[in-house]
Amino acid sequence: MDATLSGAQTVKGLAAAKPTGRISDPLFVGLLWASGIFVLLLLGLIIAMLFEGGLPALREFGISFLWSTTWNPVTERFGAGVMVFGTLFSAVIAVIVALPLSFGIAFFLTEIAPGPLRRPIGVAIQLLAAIPSIIYGMWGFFIVVPLIAAYVQPPLIEWLGPIPLIGALFQGPPLGAGMLTAGLILALMILPFITAMFVEVLESVPPMIKESAYGVGATTYEVYRNVSVPYGRSAMVGAVMLGLGRALGETMAVTFVIGNATRMSASLFAPGATIASTIANEFPEASIGSLKLQALLQLGFILFVISFIVLALSRMLVRSKLKG
Amino acid sequence: MASLARRRATDYTVKAISIGFAGLSLVLLAWIIWTLLSRGLPALGPHVFTRITLPPGAGGGLLNAIVGSLIQIGMALVIGTPIGLMCGTFLAENGRGTHIGNVVRFVNDVLLSAPSILIGLFVYQLLVVPFGGFSGWAGVVALAILVIPVVVRTTEDMLALVPIGLREAAFALGAPQWKVVTMITWRAARAGITTGILLALARAAGETAPLLFTSLGNNGWSLNLNAPMASLPIAIYQYAASPFEDWVALAWAGALLITAGVLALNIVSRLVLAKMK
């Protein structure tokens, strides 16, 4: 860093100058405070405007809007049930798939990978987080959906479909697009976030306690499982929550691959809808002041509340460990 | 306790699975990039950069979408960067350990991960409804709201790396805070702060959802920020879902352009960051 050099030069300049801060300093500090407060107000304004915009829909349909599974633009009866279910269902699939992968990759990056490979591989996995959502959508729509429809769904429907209880997850025609595909794409998208935080937490484990476990003869995996992971458990739960929060609000990728059907189904293969995909899809057909637009804004508000809770929990868990 | 042989076997198995998982994620990354190259490169000709979007079969390009994107991203950075820079400085210099600082930091973290489509809805309510129509400005504001939290986060992190001694030395010479911040700490953290702006640029460049209900997209040539404005992500979204082969090909070309730009920005900023630490 060239900080010391340019710092020293500046200090010379400062020494020669008279104190000039009488007016400019309060102004500058005022600006700093103002921008801090601005960010606070921004979030408040976002929440207020989404709530206010969706309020008429809430008045019209009552609190049952939250769980009603009707979404009928023709008769103008709207409910959020199907989308709330789809949002949670696809996000939970994503976390269930991404979690073991992240555990494995974090183990690889912190314990197995040889030194020179560690950074390049870590960076490459982080690049997955940089790819725009719409690219995942296109890749999912043109490449993954046909593959799943041809090779994954038919055998699963045939083998697992007839089994009672579990079979309900594997019903319906092999369309390719649906909850499972959306969940898989989301899993790939949140994987780098979860992995990066896992690695950060695992690297903060004091070497001493790991070494004492090695000293009594534990294997690498046993140290990882019984020492490192328990040490960082709360922050790692926080990392998973962050991934969940990201998956809940993802829009473009999901819109391409979920099939966009506003029907409720327990099947992994059935097309569905999330709050975000419904907003993206149906907004162009909703005119200003219409009940449909208000219902969409209300959906947005619900999504905001869900994400806010998940992100707040995540942050509490992560900060408590890393800063404490 | 299990026998040593069994514990060793478990250890090897888990290691093998972990290597497999890491390999799998790299393969998926390579697969996505390969898909973009194999479908985007053949569609990428000079017409993409010299012609505007035209009806299917008319041999159109993406010129208006590329220019629209550049204008909107540029303006979003012009608006978002100063606010983000000041707010990040506030957190690092004035807000450390204070209640208000913690609240602002929390709110910024929420904004950083909040669903981007909701930012679009918010700006729709804030600017599109009252002013009676979709506009480039609305898109600019939506992207600026995405830029701010990224810049805040990196600015705060980078300023925290500047040694306290540097600031104390300047204060000891009687320098007012604005001089200490602008001439000492910002300069010392210059590279890191620039990285944050590059990352914000990369994020704004790839976002589609916030533009859907703000700048809307425009199939004609328009530089007017008061009218609906084309953008690359929106053009890709429209074209990819269309039944016309040449439109889908253009969507792949656009997708390749965006991804190449975003990945390049990310790699450059990571290199700068790695050098600093």
Side-chain angles (χ1 to χ4, degrees), chain A residues 173-191:
Chain A
L175 299 170
M179 282 293 169
L180 178 71
T181 315
L184 290 177
I185 300 276
L186 284 174
L188 185 58
M189 297 178 74
I190 63 173
L191 172 83

Side-chain angles (χ1 to χ4, degrees), chain B residues 137-155:
Chain B
W137 281 118
V140 167
V141 170
L143 291 181
I145 296 177
L146 294 171
V147 163
I148 291 171
V150 182
V151 177
V152 171
R153 174 51 99 54
T154 33
T155 304

